[in-house]
Amino acid sequence: MAGVSRETWISAVLVALLVAVPLAATAAGEPFYVTLATRIAILALAAVGLNIALGLGGLVSFGHAAFFGLGGYVAGIFAAHAFNGAPLPFGFAATTAMPVIWLVAIALCGLVALPIGAISLRTAGVYFIMITLAFAQMIYYFAVSWPDYGGEDGLSIYVRNSFPGLNTAQPLPYFLLCLGLLAAGLVLFWCIQGSRFGAALEASRQNATRLAAVGITPFGIRLAAFVISAMVTGLAGALFADLNRFVSPSMLSWHMSGELIVLIILGGKGRLFGPLAGAMVYVLFEYALGGITERWQFFLGLILLGVVLFARGGFLGLLAGKARHG
């Protein structure tokens, strides 16, 4: 089909691989590879969230680990209280229902992102980066000093949160659930990118002064994008905690924020399937070299340096050429 771009074909191949490998691994009795694919899908969803702020709005947030970790702690705290039979703080009943947990994680991340974004977006450049990092570190140290939920040792999840009609304790159903949410996140990104809101967001990245001159306030557009971005990343955090059956302050650390930015750079900033491509490269590279050397990040750094210098559009840009929108 002549009207289909090369990037569309490459993206379709990536999706096909992400779906085919877990199915083949399940048939072969190799659940580890299903878990590996699930990790890719969850990290890709977290990067999709950051890509809304970074890829479309040019907001280099070094604090998105705060939302990723908050989502994880929501899942962990709900599971811990459901396991112990104790009510949640403020007398709320605990539940293992994933849809409820997801809604709470999304709402909490949105509420936390609103004041953080409102303060951070009054700055720009390196100041914005440092303020988002500072907020994330405050939340990180709060989790470290919270002994009721494990403190710096983290919180184990002894029960698998449930989803109606699915056995989420099995690797393949849980992968399909995460894949469905990743697809929803990609659709959301695509809708935002093609909407007037997305056009205004990209315009605020390119020239905020001109956007204000036509009567659109850049601050409100950026704040909305930042909050939506945090909500999507928080949802991914809840999934990640359920996958590992463990949540710890490491999910809130600045290393996690850097990892999400690396995923976007590797895949292609602002591209629809860039987060998926970046997550695939990152996780597969970690798996391939992690068993050989503890210093596999050194080689990842060399690849990242090459991408920044010679492939500014990430791996998708290298394979597909310049991005075309609309």
Side-chain angles (χ1 to χ4, degrees), residues 15-300:
V15 174
L17 286 173
L18 183 63
V19 175
V21 169
L23 294 177
T26 300
E30 296 286 349
F32 170 76
Y33 295 103
V34 183
T35 302
L36 207 64
T38 306
R39 177 178 166 84
I40 290 173
I42 293 173
L43 290 178
L45 177 61
V48 167
L50 180 56
N51 205 25
I52 294 172
L54 173 59
L56 299 181
L59 302 174
V60 185
S61 169
F62 221 80
H64 261 56
F67 312 120
F68 189 73
L70 283 174
Y73 268 95
V74 168
I77 290 171
F78 266 83
H81 281 267
F83 180 75
N84 297 326
L88 291 163
F90 306 106
F92 292 105
T95 179
T96 59
M98 284 184 177
V100 175
I101 293 170
W102 296 343
L103 287 175
V104 173
I106 290 170
L108 176 63
C109 289
L111 288 173
V112 172
L114 193 59
I116 290 178
I119 295 172
S120 303
L121 287 168
R122 299 187 184 279
T123 64
V126 69
Y127 301 104
F128 176 82
I129 295 172
M130 295 309 296
I131 288 179
T132 55
L133 173 61
F135 276 113
Q137 287 300 101
M138 283 192 285
I139 296 174
Y140 167 81
Y141 284 112
F142 176 79
V144 168
S145 60
W146 199 6
D148 290 345
Y149 296 112
E152 62 182 349
D153 295 325
L155 179 65
S156 295
I157 299 176
Y158 296 106
V159 295
R160 172 75 84 178
N161 292 317
S162 59
F163 188 86
L166 287 178
N167 182 3
T168 56
Q170 295 295 320
L172 185 60
Y174 191 66
F175 163 75
L176 294 175
L177 188 61
C178 294
L179 181 66
L181 290 173
L182 172 60
L186 291 170
V187 169
L188 174 64
F189 182 90
W190 178 74
C191 290
I192 291 175
Q193 189 178 46
S195 67
R196 285 186 285 183
F197 171 77
L201 181 59
E202 294 203 52
S204 72
R205 182 194 71 208
Q206 295 170 3
N207 195 318
T209 304
R210 289 185 179 179
L211 183 64
V214 299
I216 301 176
T217 306
F219 179 82
I221 296 291
R222 288 172 170 170
L223 180 59
F226 188 83
V227 172
I228 294 170
S229 172
M231 288 175 161
V232 175
T233 303
L235 172 60
L239 295 173
F240 196 73
D242 263 323
L243 173 67
N244 297 320
R245 300 196 182 188
F246 181 74
V247 59
S248 73
S250 64
M251 289 181 65
L252 294 157
S253 73
W254 64 270
H255 299 89
M256 190 70 234
S257 294
E259 186 174 315
L260 295 179
I261 293 175
V262 166
L263 296 184
I264 293 175
I265 294 174
L266 286 176
K269 182 171 67 73
R271 293 175 183 264
L272 177 60
F273 286 92
L276 176 57
M280 281 184 161
V281 171
Y282 184 90
V283 173
L284 293 177
F285 203 82
E286 178 185 33
Y287 168 68
L289 289 182
I292 299 174
T293 174
E294 295 180 357
R295 297 173 178 82
W296 64 271
Q297 293 96 337
F298 170 78
F299 300 99
L300 177 67

